[in-house]
Amino acid sequence: MKLLRIGAPGAERPALLEAVADGRPRYLDLTDVTPDIDGPFLASGGLDRVRTALAEGVLPELVPPAVGWRFGAPVARPGKVVCIGLNYRDHAEETGAAIPPRPVVFMKDPGTVVGPYDEVLIPRGSVKTDWEVELAVVIGRRARYLGSREEALACVAGYAISNDVSEREFQLEFSGQWDLGKSCETFNPLGPWLVTADEVGDPQELGLRLSVDGVPRQDGHTKNMIFDVAEIVRYLSQYLVLEPGDVINTGTPAGVALGLPDHPYLRPGQRVELEIDRLGTQRQLLTQA
């Protein structure tokens, strides 16, 4: 299933994307099943309730407005956004970093999460705003001291596209921690959908791509992760309690501005487009904060 949230910021309504026979997308209203797609929904068996309602044919169709829809982040108010740094060998090499022997873990302010087509704000004083296409993992059940990879994958509700936008000067030069460069407002577009784990299948069989103003910049594959999704979730559960609705950004492949010879950092007016196999696409216009 592909779950999403449609509407103005703060007033999104939960929906399900269903493709009809002619390939035309159809959006079904989930408000009779849940007020939102969030941690409590996932923790209470919400995905099973949606599957039942879909099978029974009781979900009404949403009629698109004349001006078109805004898609919000497919998960409302994640409690945590946990990130894995340097998780692709080629990305570590392009930035001059050593290959990590254990996952590099940092946190990102959950308030950075915005919709997949929302504007991204370049912070005031920024000269090194960068892009990062990433596979996002959405937790569906409480994960604590997991003992196996199988247990870890059983805790995953689904996956989405994430743009882990980063300000490299803030991140690497202004502080010994990465938080300043990772937690600026709008720095985590997410979506367009939460695609359930059963539909995605093996998360290590997904291609990731990103372009800026139509110029390809990143072209990677999740099979090249240093630490795969199962190991990331298992490992994090030894140190953090992962709750339903939490998001994990699993790292980015090579091709970021930091690693390119001319360092083509983002500027106002530029457009970034991201794509991950089976998860759709997202696009952002860069504007000045």
Side-chain angles (χ1 to χ4, degrees):
M1 297 186 298
K2 296 180 175 70
L3 305 182
L4 65 157
R5 300 170 61 249
I6 297 172
E12 295 93 345
R13 64 191 306 162
L16 173 73
L17 171 62
E18 182 185 47
V20 296
D22 61 0
R24 179 181 63 86
R26 193 163 69 119
Y27 298 96
L28 304 180
D29 191 355
L30 296 181
T31 52
D32 288 341
V33 178
T34 180
D36 213 339
I37 300 169
D38 53 13
F41 163 76
L42 295 170
S44 63
L47 293 179
D48 288 337
R49 294 199 303 276
V50 172
R51 289 189 182 97
T52 298
L54 180 62
E56 293 175 349
V58 298
L59 298 174
E61 184 174 358
L62 287 168
V63 178
V67 295
W69 275 316
R70 171 192 173 267
F71 289 179
V75 180
R77 301 173 297 279
K80 293 189 288 295
V81 177
V82 187
C83 303
I84 307 299
L86 306 173
N87 197 32
Y88 288 74
R89 187 176 299 271
D90 57 0
H91 175 57
E93 291 172 348
E94 75 173 345
T95 61
I99 304 302
R102 297 161 67 94
V104 175
V105 180
F106 63 95
M107 309 292 283
K108 192 161 187 165
D109 178 5
T112 59
V113 174
V114 294
Y117 308 110
D118 289 348
E119 291 183 343
V120 168
L121 300 178
I122 294 179
R124 296 177 188 179
S126 167
V127 294
K128 295 182 179 180
T129 295
D130 206 345
W131 59 80
E132 293 189 16
V133 59
E134 306 202 10
L135 173 67
V137 176
V138 179
I139 298 298
R141 65 177 70 168
R142 200 166 196 252
R144 175 178 177 270
Y145 294 114
L146 300 175
S148 70
R149 296 168 54 84
E150 291 74 22
E151 286 182 277
L153 289 177
C155 291
V156 175
Y159 304 91
I161 304 172
S162 181
N163 188 355
D164 178 19
V165 186
S166 308
E167 211 299 341
R168 303 302 188 185
E169 186 178 36
F170 298 0
Q171 175 191 355
L172 301 173
E173 301 174 40
F174 288 181
S175 173
Q177 303 290 329
W178 288 3
D179 302 55
L180 288 183
K182 293 289 188 173
S183 290
C184 303
E185 59 181 333
T186 73
F187 264 27
N188 204 142
L190 187 69
W193 316 305
L194 167 61
V195 186
T196 52
D198 60 334
E199 181 166 331
V200 172
D202 186 350
Q204 308 311 138
E205 290 296 332
L206 304 173
L208 308 86
R209 293 164 292 278
L210 180 146
S211 63
V212 180
D213 290 339
V215 178
R217 293 299 189 183
Q218 292 184 276
D219 187 358
H221 199 283
T222 57
K223 68 182 179 183
N224 296 323
M225 286 182 180
I226 298 170
F227 305 100
D228 65 13
V229 168
E231 175 58 16
I232 289 169
V233 175
R234 189 208 64 80
Y235 179 84
L236 290 175
S237 78
Q238 310 306 307
Y239 305 97
L240 309 172
V241 177
L242 300 172
E243 300 286 359
D246 286 352
V247 173
I248 303 171
N249 288 338
T250 57
T252 198
V256 299
L258 175 66
L260 294 172
D262 53 346
H263 303 307
Y265 292 111
L266 293 167
R267 298 289 181 263
Q270 291 190 295
R271 294 182 183 272
V272 177
E273 183 163 357
L274 302 83
E275 179 181 15
I276 298 182
D277 296 344
R278 305 177 215 164
L279 301 183
T281 62
Q282 59 171 243
R283 294 178 299 277
Q284 296 98 40
L285 172 68
L286 278 294
T287 60
Q288 186 64 55

